[in-house]
Amino acid sequence: MESRFRSEPLRADPERIVVECCAAGAPAVVTLRDGAAAPGLRAVFASFRNERIELEMTDAFLEPPAPGAVCYVSFMHRGRPMNFTAPVREASTGAERGLLVLGVPATIVSEGLRSAFRIPGDPDAHSVAVVGDDGVAWHAELVNLSLTGMLVRFE
């Protein structure tokens, strides 16, 4: 499924994206599924070869994850937030930076894509009021409208 607002598909080709991130030395955040890592360790995509993704760890592991542990990796690719889960193949700590080696994910998911086409609103033709539980109305300008909702700008 292609988005009308971005040039990437919702679920993109993992190898192509990983190769581009490694070539650029893109930053990433790694979280282990079992919670053993600190909430979000910083890393950098280093290389992709032999079906292995190598991440250089900017932050140190409290304890290196065991092979087979599953981690969650989030990063930006072409200005869009992306994420994937992958099994740990190996992890090591070094004098300056640790190394985390992951298997190739089956999919990489792009976050925040719009699920419906948006139609620009005409602020002169439409009046929007958001009424809170206390009955107070907040007036807003209609920015755009879709099947899944609307975007408003409060005055």
Side-chain angles (χ1 to χ4, degrees):
M1 168 186 206
E2 289 285 330
S3 166
R4 295 179 45 91
F5 300 97
R6 308 280 180 138
S7 60
E8 294 290 322
L10 179 63
R11 293 187 184 273
D13 174 37
E15 289 189 18
R16 180 182 57 81
I17 290 174
V18 169
V19 166
E20 288 179 15
C21 288
C22 289
V29 176
V30 178
T31 306
L32 294 178
R33 184 178 282 173
D34 65 5
L41 296 173
R42 291 176 296 164
V44 175
F45 281 90
S47 70
F48 176 68
R49 58 178 170 236
N50 301 327
E51 301 294 311
R52 298 161 45 110
I53 301 168
E54 294 183 2
L55 298 173
E56 286 184 8
M57 301 305 296
T58 307
D59 292 336
F61 294 115
L62 295 175
E63 183 178 320
V70 177
C71 68
Y72 173 82
V73 179
S74 59
F75 58 99
M76 296 293 286
H77 177 258
R78 296 184 181 183
R80 174 185 286 158
M82 308 284 262
N83 66 69
F84 64 85
T85 57
V88 173
R89 295 256 177 104
E90 65 182 81
S92 61
T93 56
E96 290 185 25
R97 289 188 173 193
L99 183 67
L100 181 64
V101 180
L102 305 174
V104 178
T107 60
I108 293 180
V109 178
S110 179
E111 301 173 0
L113 291 178
R114 294 184 173 173
S115 60
F117 177 74
R118 295 198 171 260
I119 300 168
D122 181 358
D124 296 327
H126 303 97
S127 175
V128 177
V130 178
V131 181
D133 291 337
D134 58 1
V136 175
W138 299 339
H139 296 281
E141 172 184 314
L142 177 65
V143 176
N144 59 44
L145 183 66
S146 75
L147 292 173
T148 59
M150 67 178 157
L151 177 63
V152 297
R153 182 178 303 120
F154 288 95
E155 300 171 345

